[in-house]
Amino acid sequence: SATGHSRSQRFRSVTGRSIGGGAREVRKSSVVLLPCTPASVAIARRQLIADLLAAGIFAAAIGDAALVVSELLSNAIRHARPLPGAQLQVTWQLAAGCVELAVSDGGGPTRPHDSHPSLSSLGGRGLGIVAHLSHSWGMRYDESGLTVWAVLAAPPESGKYLTGRPL
């Protein structure tokens, strides 16, 4: 690559428990550590889309999840400090027809909030989009920083199987 780093050196993925059967094992949860740079948004989005496609999730739900993870990660890059190692953590977990997305950072000088920008404003719509597409969203603080999370519907494509049983 142009930076002299291979993709595997730029981010690290840790896979959780798996579901499914057949030729390809489907990840039920993923944790991805990414550099605190704008290029990380596309990396996270691609990996999330690949995991949700492999799990047989409905295409429109995958698009919503990709948009939400892009908004959460972009906000962390723009407004927060990274975690130690100049990284951000992106996680997703499939359970009970939903996907929970979360982005963890080192916190920042302001608290994330849904704003109501004017029509001519160039920004400020990200968390409004997250709120609109999510069943719920919120944030939690701990000793390492802030995690902003969202839970979205993740229905399977019609006729597909997630657990080996008909839905």
Side-chain angles (χ1 to χ4, degrees):
S1 77
T3 63
H5 298 285
S6 71
R7 184 172 179 200
S8 63
Q9 292 173 323
R10 286 194 303 235
F11 74 94
R12 181 175 55 144
S13 176
V14 181
T15 303
R17 296 179 311 174
S18 299
I19 60 174
R24 180 163 181 196
E25 192 171 72
V26 177
R27 285 185 271 225
K28 185 175 181 182
S29 64
S30 289
V31 176
V32 183
L33 296 173
L34 297 161
C36 188
T37 64
S40 294
V41 176
I43 294 168
R45 193 173 45 239
R46 275 194 304 272
Q47 189 164 344
L48 172 66
I49 290 169
D51 282 0
L52 296 181
L53 281 170
I57 302 302
F58 185 62
I62 293 173
D64 289 350
L67 178 56
V68 168
V69 84
S70 295
E71 292 294 340
L72 296 179
L73 190 52
S74 294
N75 283 348
I77 292 165
R78 183 172 182 169
H79 300 292
R81 292 180 304 275
L83 294 166
Q87 295 183 321
L88 300 171
Q89 178 177 288
V90 182
T91 64
W92 52 90
Q93 180 173 354
L94 282 169
C98 291
V99 60
E100 181 177 342
L101 308 168
V103 173
S104 300
D105 58 50
T110 60
R111 182 179 171 114
H113 64 280
D114 185 5
S115 63
H116 303 284
S118 69
L119 292 175
S120 62
S121 178
L122 297 177
R125 293 175 182 81
L127 288 177
I129 292 168
V130 170
H132 180 76
L133 295 175
S134 305
H135 287 304
S136 59
W137 75 277
M139 58 198 110
R140 55 186 173 261
Y141 292 91
D142 63 24
E143 63 281 348
S144 63
L146 171 70
T147 298
V148 181
W149 57 268
V151 177
L152 289 79
E157 285 282 357
S158 179
K160 298 256 179 150
Y161 300 85
L162 292 177
T163 62
R165 297 186 317 265
L167 299 173

